[in-house]
Amino acid sequence: MSPAQQENFPPELLKELESIKLSALADDYAYQQVAHLTDNIGPRPSGSLQAKAAVDYVAAELRKLGLDVQLEEVKVPHWVRGAETAELVEYPGQVAGTFQKVVLAALGGSTSTPGDGINADVVVVNNFEELRALGHDQVAGKIVLFNEIFDKQKAAAGLSFVSYGEAVRYRGAGPKAAAELGAVAALVRSVGNADYRLPHTGFSAPAGIPAGAVTAEDAALIARLSTQGRVRMHLTLTPQKLPDATSYNVIADLKGSEHPEQIVVVSGHLDSWDLGTGAIDDAAGVAVAMEAAEVLHQLGLHPKRTLRVIAWMDEESGGAGSQAYTKDHTNDFPKHVAAIECDSGASHPLGFDARINASATELLRPVLNVLQSYGGNALQPSSYPPGADIAAMSEAGVPALGILQDGRTYFNYHHTAADTLDKIVPNELRENAASMAVMGYALANMKNPLPR
């Protein structure tokens, strides 16, 4: 090791990190937390009764570990799903007296059709350029379908988040772009790489028109039929936007023994979408953050800096939780030594995405060596914040890390009805817990904070 590595990671600390890893790899605490959040509490959309129950549950569990727990208030949107049906009622070659069902789910932020739905022609575009080329006259009064295809080859090669980034912009901004040209509704091809006729929901910027995600199979069907002639749809989406609700970020501190004012954040987000039970997105992230504290409690170890466990609220529908934390704690960001987030599933961890000073990469090599036994030792430099909820901290210069996972199957289940407990592989969840606990404790106990 270099002199700086030896200074920051003496033999005693490395032995503690090894003990933390072994304990986490043998412990089912994180799995038990995911199981309760998903099976017993269920879906946790912002503003829901389940989200409130999850806040209370996580706070109580962390108090059992002796942490100083605070609930910090957040005003969150409260959107609830209603009826969602669609049928193709006119299309080339249609057999008289029949229609074709379209499987879809409303997007968060969608407004409602009338109770009995709307009938309109469908216009299919592959990108924003094609939408603009059609112009107001060819879009007004129609339903726009964005048929951006999720790149499965990139996902299979380990670049699933690149595929997601390319396609998700149409979910986020497509309805608003369609509304500006007079569309009466907007649909997007589901952003995911599993063709099981599952719609993938998610947040969409409020556009004042109904907005939904159709399955990949049905998007392809509509696109094929539209090349043959007129396609007309009957669409019913009846979600409601209720008044904003009061919720909370769960903030739990294991106070530092030498520098309690210096903070290392370990975190995941507590809210989820409502189609499934939010196991991989993101009960798993909350659970491995909780385990970072539980393992230290189990081993009787105490960090020199404060280890702060955060269960964020409202990551999925606007980020109100992280915005509230930024507003309340901006002045403390200079004392935030580092922040870690787990929000990309629960599959085998490969290491960390890291937005850190270049010199810190080599400095952390002894920590990564501890994680090498199960392959969790990559440190991938990132030019963007490696987690939505820690983005503001990262932009303020706080060293930020996100657990880098094997994401090849993540978007099979992400934001769908299939995001359930059975998708969690206990051994892989334990590896994620080990990664969070080892890195969190290392950052809290190394002699000098990471350079900014």
Side-chain angles (χ1 to χ4, degrees), residues 105-357:
L107 296 176
S110 170
T111 59
S112 178
T113 65
D116 56 356
I118 60 173
N119 285 285
D121 289 356
V122 181
V123 57
V124 179
V125 297
N126 295 306
N127 50 53
F128 290 120
E129 291 74 20
E130 290 184 7
L131 177 70
R132 287 193 291 269
L134 287 175
H136 184 274
D137 290 347
Q138 296 183 69
V139 172
K142 295 183 173 65
I143 298 169
V144 172
L145 168 62
F146 292 92
N147 189 39
E148 171 71 11
I149 298 173
F150 185 91
D151 191 328
K152 296 179 186 178
Q153 287 183 304
K154 282 195 182 79
L159 297 175
S160 58
F161 280 86
V162 176
S163 300
Y164 181 69
E166 291 170 349
V168 76
R169 54 187 171 163
Y170 294 96
R171 189 190 78 203
K176 193 169 189 298
E180 289 170 352
L181 292 177
V184 294
L187 302 173
V188 298
R189 183 180 179 125
S190 284
V191 185
N193 61 338
D195 296 338
Y196 305 132
R197 218 175 182 198
L198 281 173
H200 294 234
T201 192
F203 182 73
S204 182
I209 60 174
V214 301
T215 66
E217 296 91 336
D218 289 320
L221 167 68
I222 296 167
R224 291 193 301 269
L225 289 174
S226 69
T227 66
Q228 301 171 28
R230 183 186 191 193
V231 176
R232 193 165 178 82
M233 176 183 285
H234 178 76
L235 174 66
T236 304
L237 296 174
T238 61
Q240 298 179 65
K241 188 182 185 312
L242 303 178
D244 287 353
T246 299
S247 191
Y248 303 89
N249 290 325
V250 182
I251 312 292
D253 286 351
L254 181 56
K255 293 292 186 182
S257 59
E258 295 183 13
H259 303 288
E261 77 287 357
Q262 296 180 12
I263 295 166
V264 174
V265 171
V266 293
S267 67
H269 71 82
L270 196 48
D271 61 306
S272 77
W273 285 107
D274 56 325
L275 297 180
T277 55
I280 62 172
D281 187 20
D282 186 35
V286 171
V288 301
M290 295 170 72
E291 173 110 19
E294 193 272 343
V295 167
L296 300 187
H297 178 76
Q298 180 189 125
L299 294 174
L301 295 175
H302 209 92
K304 293 178 180 179
R305 300 181 179 89
T306 294
L307 188 74
R308 174 167 290 176
V309 180
I310 302 182
W312 302 101
M313 182 52 66
D314 191 49
E315 187 274 343
E316 296 292 4
S317 53
S322 60
Q323 292 166 21
Y325 186 84
T326 299
K327 180 181 177 182
D328 294 341
H329 296 275
T330 298
N331 292 338
D332 298 329
F333 281 179
K335 296 178 181 177
H336 281 55
V337 171
I340 312 174
E341 183 167 7
C342 180
D343 185 21
S344 48
S347 294
H348 169 65
L350 306 169
F352 297 87
D353 284 314
R355 194 183 192 197
I356 57 178
N357 186 297

